[in-house]
Every structure is written in structure tokens, then in C-alpha cells.
Amino acid sequence: MGGGDGPLNAPRWLGWAWAIPAAFLAAFLVYPVIVLGARVGLGDGWSGLTAASTWQVAGLAAVQALASTILALVVGIPMANVVSRYRYRGRALAQAMVTVPFVLPTVVVALAFRSLLGSGVPQGFALVVVAHAYVNLAVVARIVGAQWAQHDDRYENVARTLGATRWQAFVTVTLPGLRGAIASSAAVVFVFSFTSLGIVLLLGDSTTRTLESQILRQTSVLLDFPGAAATAVIQLVLVTGVLLAGAMAGRRSPRRTMRPVALRPVPAGLSGIVVRVAVATTVIIVIAPVAALLLDSLRAGGAWSTAWWSAMGSVDAGTTRIGSPLGALGMSLGYALVTAVIASIVGGLAAVAVLSRGRARVVALLAIAPLGVSAATLGLGTLLAFGRGPIDLRGTGLLVPIAHALVAVPLVVAVVAPALRATDSRRLAVAASLGARPTRAFVTAYGSVLRVVMLASAALAGAVSLGEFGAASFLARAGNPTVPVQIVRLLSRPGEESYGVAAALAVVLVALTLALVLLVDRFGMSALQRSARTA
Amino acid sequence: MTPRLAADDLVIGHGSTVIAAGISFEVMPREIVAVVGPSGSGKSTLLATLAGVIPALSGRVLVDGADVTQVPIHHRGIGMIFQEPLLFPHLDVTDNVAYGLRRQGMSRAEANERAATLLQWLGLAGYEQTSVDQLSGGQAQRVALARALAPRPAVLLLDEPFSALDADLRRRLVIEVSEALRHEGTAAIHVTHDLAEAAAMADRVITVPEAPESGPSALGRPAPPA
């Protein structure tokens, strides 16, 4: 927001915009976490905190997450280089492609890797690590790429004139300049891999368990809710520690001269060939698993067929007769719609609170806290808090969208807040000086940007809801699964039909998710451009 | 006597765009040459081409009589200082100055000793362990000079290194840099748009007239006599 001191002539209600998100977060984030903590004190919960088996799983998950992070960095850093720094035909498409794996539902990614690699690569550590690296390529490429795009090449030129080879200049000058971005992205990738559920369930074995899968097992198989609560608390503490360490490493990164740097032309000779090969490899890496998934949905009995697509409306379509795939799709779309409404209201108001000072800003910070809480923890906490008396919301059908909204709210804040900050607050004063009352002036100043950006954030929240698996696996009722839950159930059954229908369902999910993400991109960019034009 | 640096019928530019053609000149050992001209005349591109940061479109660059046109930057023995000091922010003052020496394979102790000598000469004794974030603009530019001089380059290229400084500091630094170059016996090309600054520092001044409205820069035209 221009000036940054809070808008002049703001309407009085703006000072209370924080109240609704604060109430929502207190009820559906803080309270469930408290209930979760209280559960640790019951039964064998305390012993769960020190149980060797839990810490063994934490160790396995940490090793897996570390390997996933290293692979994501090794592949993602060169990707960041080619999609962020060079000018070539199709660069925007390449940049969009890099984002695709991140927006795909994790169970879809898992299924896509099964389709791509077939039985060539056995389930287990390697497959899980590769799938995690794939999902998180966008995190590395986007975070590191954003920093790298602003990096002043003259630092390397100085190093080269001082006798450094190209590699020495990269290691001694470029990498230290990217250290903060690399540390931040590594922390995020580590946390995502450490708290993974869908990929671990579908591609993992006993060596790739995570605390998230442990929580699911403790609740659904062992019915050990205090133990699950203890595991969730351990995970919460570990994840918070990693995220804080990443943030601190990012903050300690030295400042250097940044200047708007134009995209560089692809160099001639060998370097140019390397860049072009890297771009082509990037696109192939992203497309291959999704293409394999699509092909698998069109193959039945070794021949081309639309059988799996035709069977989508049938209850018998490879399922345990829990409902048709199309029924799950309808359920997911309904949840996505409700999630979009809840998340855009809560997240939108939290973002508006950023414009104010004091406690309202605290709420805006609290609104991004769910990022550090895993989906299964949210699901379990919500189930414990609202899945039985005294407050039983199971019959309302709201538990899933509420949990999904918690996952989506931080992203909504991340979309809305920058657009509001980029809008010149002096427009409030101009509107007021022309006789507009405070609320009218606020609508004049921020209305057009808010309308567009709220649509974008609603689409984003819908996309999050469509693909979310962790919380839904706790909260979706047995007869009304969401699409990701249905896919996992289908894959737990043997037979070609189950697999084929799951692939077809996954392709539909990919199409819906990409359509929503494209809407976000279009609306989001449009809002920022409006802000920029009028700032 | 063999020139320390020579440009022979050099054509400079970016990609297929020629900025200046037919550039030929020589810089003798210990000589400081100033190139003065307006913005856009190709002065910075000339320095970048000499250093090997961008390739020459045609022609030759010679250091001590050897053709280095195809030699990579780090083997040319040509140092460079830019308008901003561009000190490596993750290294302290000593490590910045010792950077080139370490790349030459010098031991840390030896490199630090040479760095300390240069820092003392430039009035920066006591700043050895200081973070470069804490330096003033003038101090930072002195450290950049020490860093560039430390590996004893055959030639030092100065691309308007004082233009971001205030007038007083600029006057002082022009004298200090000039003394440092002569003390080290380093040949240099100093690019500037300030004729007075050029005259105060250089043995010889090449002025580049305004470029014609169309066509390449006037940099490649025959230089007026010194």
C-alpha cells in the first residue's frame, strides 16, 4: 500500500475487519490444536511423546525429506536459472509449466508416477523421493528464480576479472547470493516432504512412513487418539522448528546491490545449447507423468478404450460400492465451492486487516499460521474438536470445507494482501475530499482491485480444496468421499478397472485444477496490473 | 617497448548490433589513459570487451603483445572496477581484497598479508575484519580498488568508478587512486564523462565526440592527438 502507514480516512469498520478471521481461526485452528494438546494428556498420550516407534518414524521421514529436498534443489536450481533469467520464445509457457506439479493434487502426482514408471521402479524410498522432488520443483524454481532474476551479473564479472573460473565464480559469488532463497525453499520443501501423506501412502513402503501417515494409522487402524495427538504435537514442534530455521537463514542472507535486470538473450555456442536442453528437459520432466496418466486412462486390456471414462458414473466402477466416481466429483466440487466462499471471506478480511495497525496485523500473521500445521494435524484436530459432543458438526457437511479453508486462507492472504498494498491509499483521501463517506471512499479506492483479487483467491481456494487429501482422509464421511480419497480407495483395490477409473478421475482433477489455477493467474495478474496502473 | 594493452581494429557491440568499429589504441606500461565521452558512445562496452565480459565482434585485444581475444576473462590478467564497488557482501574487507589472490592459489596467510598492505596504503588499516555493509561509499570504492590491484593485473579498467560519489570525495579519490596506480605501477584505462577528472588522473586523454544521429558511435574514429 502506498505509504505503508495505514490508509487515511479509512472507514471505522476497517478497524474491526480482523474480528471475523480472528474468531474463525480461534474456533477452527487454535481450539482444535488445544484439544489435540489436551488429548496428549489422556490415556497413553504422554508416553506417545517419547515412544521409540514415533521417533523412529520421525527419523525415517527426516531422511526421506532430506533426500527429497536435495533432489528438488539439484533439479530445481538449474530450472530456476533457465526459466527466470533468459529470454526465449515460449519462456512464459515454460515458467507456467514449472508451476504445474505444485498445483496438482499429491495423490494425482503419485498415480501419475505409477503410470509413468509402471512396475519398473518398485514402490519405496526412491519413488517417494522422486515424486516429492517433482511436486516441489516449483517451490525451488519460483523462490530461487525470483532472487536469481534480480541478481546483478557484474558480481560474477568482477570475480572473473579477479581470476575465478566460471564455476568458481558461481560457487563463491552466485551461490552465497542465493543462499537465503535456497534456505527458504529448502525449508519449505523439507516440510512438505516431511509431512507428506498421499504420495507416501500410494508410492511408499515401510521405510518411507511419515508422522502424517503414522497419525492416520493411529486413528484409523489402532484407534489410538491420544497417541495420534502426541504424534501430531511432535510433528507440529518439528515443523515449526524447521520453518523458523529456514526463515532465520533467509534473513541472515547478506544484502547486495539489486537492480532491475532485463532477461538475458540465450548465449551463443555451448552455453546456449545447455540452456535450450535445460528448457526442453524441464518441459519433458513436467509433462511426462501427466501424459502417462492420460494414456493409462485410455488403455484397457492392452488396447485403446474409453471404458474407464464410460464407467465413471457407475457405482460398480472398480469401487467398493461406496459411490460412483462422478458422485465423488460432485461432492468435491460442492466442498470446493463452500471452501472458496469461507476462505475468501476469512482470508480477504485478514488481508484487509493488513492495512490497519496493531492487533489487526497480528491476525493477518495468525492467518498464515496454518501453513505450519500439517493437513492431517488439521484434520485430526478438527475431528477431535467438532466430530463429537459437545460440538458435533459431522452432520452439517462443513468439517471438510472448514479444514480446507484453513489450508487455503494463507494462500488467499498471499494473493490479496500484495494487491491491496500495491494500491495507492491516497485514493481514499481523494475520494473523501470529493465528498465520499469513508465506506464509499474505501470502495472507490480498493473496490475494483478487491473484486478481481477476491475472485482469484476464491478460485485458488477451490483448487486447494479439490486436491486436498490429508484433512479429507480424516473428515470425509465413508459414503461421501472426495475425489482424492476416492482415488486412494480405488488404488487400494486390485485390478485393472480400479486403476483405470482412478486414472480417469485423476485426469479430470488435473483438468479442473489447471483451469482454476489459470483463472487465478489471469485474475491475479489483472489485479496487480490495475494496482500498478493506479498507484 | 611492447604496449601493456592494445586494441587492434576492434569492433564492439552486442549480438549483431555494432556500437563502434575500427577501434585501435595502445596503453603503455605504467600509463594511465582516460577515455572521455558522452553516454551511449560505447565506452563501457569497450571496457567490457577488453576485459572479456562480452566478446569482440571482430579485431584483436593484445596484452603484453599476446592476443587474448579468445582467452577467457579469468586468464586475461585484466582487472576491472565498476561505478558501484560491487563488494562481495558475504565476505569481510580482507576476504574481498584477498579474493583474487586466493584464486591464484596463494595461501590465506600470504593473501591476507598483501591485503593488509594494500588496505594500509589506502588508509583503511583497522577495517580488515569489517563487514562491507558498514563501509561508507568512499571506503567501499577504496576496498574495490584494493581488491582489483591485489592480484597485480596487467591493466586495470575503471568504468566511471567515482560517478556515484559526491564532488569532494570524488576529488580526493581521484588523487588517491592515481597515486595507488602509480605506486603499484599498474597501467589503466579510466572511462569518465568528466574531462577535469580525466585530466587530473591520466597521462593521456582520448575524447570521444558525440555519436552521429545515425550509425555507430564515434568511438572508432581516429582519436585526437594527446
Side-chain angles (χ1 to χ4, degrees), chain A residues 152-166 168-174 176-177 179 254-257 259, chain B residues 51 53 72-75 77-80 82-91 96 99-101 103-104 133 147-148 151:
Chain A
D152 192 335
D153 283 346
R154 292 178 304 169
Y155 283 107
E156 282 76 30
N157 292 337
V158 169
R160 301 290 312 279
T161 61
L162 291 167
T165 62
R166 199 184 290 270
Q168 285 173 330
F170 176 74
V171 171
T172 59
V173 177
T174 312
R179 195 167 60 199
R255 282 176 298 159
R256 60 176 67 198
T257 308
R259 56 174 193 167
Chain B
V53 173
I73 309 174
H74 61 287
H75 283 146
I78 297 177
M80 194 160 178
F82 293 87
Q83 187 174 334
E84 294 101 40
L86 297 174
L87 299 177
F88 304 134
H90 57 291
L91 303 178
N96 260 280
Y99 182 91
L101 300 170
R103 302 285 86 72
Q104 289 177 346
D133 280 347
R147 182 177 64 177

Side-chain angles (χ1 to χ4, degrees), chain B residues 4-47:
Chain B
R4 180 67 13 132
L5 177 76
D8 177 19
D9 201 19
L10 204 57
V11 179
I12 61 170
H14 298 279
S16 56
T17 309
V18 174
I19 293 177
I23 302 169
S24 296
F25 62 85
E26 293 175 346
V27 179
M28 304 311 286
R30 309 179 77 92
E31 186 183 28
I32 301 174
V33 175
V35 178
V36 184
S39 299
S41 56
K43 305 185 303 292
S44 293
T45 307
L46 172 64
L47 293 196

Side-chain angles (χ1 to χ4, degrees), chain B residues 52-137:
Chain B
V53 173
I54 56 174
L57 301 184
S58 73
R60 294 190 306 158
V61 177
L62 300 109
V63 173
D64 291 329
D67 185 352
V68 297
T69 318
Q70 303 302 324
V71 172
I73 309 174
H74 61 287
H75 283 146
R76 289 196 180 196
I78 297 177
M80 194 160 178
I81 298 181
F82 293 87
Q83 187 174 334
E84 294 101 40
L86 297 174
L87 299 177
F88 304 134
H90 57 291
L91 303 178
D92 65 17
V93 167
T94 294
D95 285 345
N96 260 280
V97 177
Y99 182 91
L101 300 170
R102 299 283 291 148
R103 302 285 86 72
Q104 289 177 346
M106 192 180 275
S107 72
R108 179 174 289 278
E110 280 180 301
N112 287 357
E113 196 180 319
R114 162 99 173 126
T117 307
L118 278 166
L119 289 170
Q120 190 168 22
W121 168 255
L122 287 165
L124 287 167
Y127 286 88
E128 288 83 355
Q129 312 305 323
T130 305
S131 161
V132 297
D133 280 347
Q134 322 243 315
L135 300 174
S136 68

Side-chain angles (χ1 to χ4, degrees), chain A residues 80-414:
Chain A
N81 183 27
V82 296
V83 299
S84 308
R85 303 179 73 218
Y86 294 102
R87 185 177 63 235
Y88 48 85
R89 187 177 297 184
R91 178 186 153 272
L93 182 66
Q95 203 162 27
M97 296 289 287
V98 169
T99 314
V100 167
F102 188 66
V103 300
L104 291 180
T106 52
V107 294
V108 170
V109 170
L111 186 53
F113 269 88
R114 267 199 189 183
S115 293
L116 180 68
L117 301 172
S119 54
V121 179
Q123 286 200 197
F125 188 83
L127 201 51
V128 166
V129 165
V130 169
H132 281 160
Y134 176 80
V135 169
N136 290 300
L137 285 177
V139 175
V140 178
R142 283 294 176 110
I143 295 178
V144 176
Q147 180 91 15
W148 211 341
Q150 297 180 67
H151 184 74
D152 192 335
D153 283 346
R154 292 178 304 169
Y155 283 107
E156 282 76 30
N157 292 337
V158 169
R160 301 290 312 279
T161 61
L162 291 167
T165 62
R166 199 184 290 270
W167 175 248
Q168 285 173 330
F170 176 74
V171 171
T172 59
V173 177
T174 312
L175 270 185
L178 300 175
R179 195 167 60 199
I182 291 172
S184 301
S185 61
V188 173
V189 175
F190 184 91
V191 165
F192 283 162
S193 305
F194 187 75
T195 61
S196 172
L197 182 58
I199 286 174
V200 166
L201 285 183
L202 293 181
L203 300 179
D205 60 11
S206 60
T207 67
T208 56
R209 280 185 291 155
T210 58
L211 291 175
E212 203 82 336
S213 66
Q214 177 87 338
I215 294 168
L216 188 61
R217 184 166 171 271
Q218 284 171 313
T219 51
S220 59
V221 179
L222 306 176
L223 302 177
D224 176 14
F225 282 87
T231 308
V233 168
I234 289 171
Q235 176 164 272
L236 192 60
V237 171
L238 292 176
V239 163
T240 306
V242 171
L243 287 175
L244 283 176
M248 282 167 67
R251 213 170 275 174
R252 274 209 301 272
S253 183
R255 282 176 298 159
R256 60 176 67 198
T257 308
M258 290 289 185
R259 56 174 193 167
V261 179
L263 290 170
R264 302 141 183 84
V266 175
L270 186 62
S271 304
I273 294 171
V274 169
V275 169
R276 288 192 171 87
V277 168
V279 173
T281 309
T282 298
V283 173
I284 290 169
I285 286 174
V286 170
I287 286 179
V290 181
L293 186 66
L294 178 63
L295 291 179
D296 264 3
S297 76
L298 294 168
R299 302 282 293 177
W304 295 107
S305 168
T306 55
W308 313 137
W309 290 85
S310 307
M312 292 250 285
S314 165
V315 175
D316 295 321
T319 74
T320 50
R321 302 185 71 87
I322 50 172
S324 71
L326 277 186
L329 192 58
M331 185 58 62
S332 272
L333 286 172
Y335 285 151
L337 190 65
V338 180
T339 300
V341 172
I342 297 174
S344 50
I345 290 173
V346 173
L349 285 171
V352 167
V354 173
L355 299 179
S356 310
R357 296 178 185 189
R359 61 189 162 183
R361 282 193 177 222
V362 174
V363 172
L365 276 177
L366 187 61
I368 58 170
L371 275 182
V373 185
S374 76
T377 305
L378 281 178
L380 176 61
T382 306
L383 187 67
L384 292 175
F386 302 110
R388 59 190 71 183
I391 313 168
D392 189 349
L393 297 180
R394 276 178 303 174
T396 64
L398 283 173
L399 285 182
V400 172
I402 284 172
H404 284 179
L406 282 169
V407 177
V409 159
L411 304 177
V412 172
V413 173

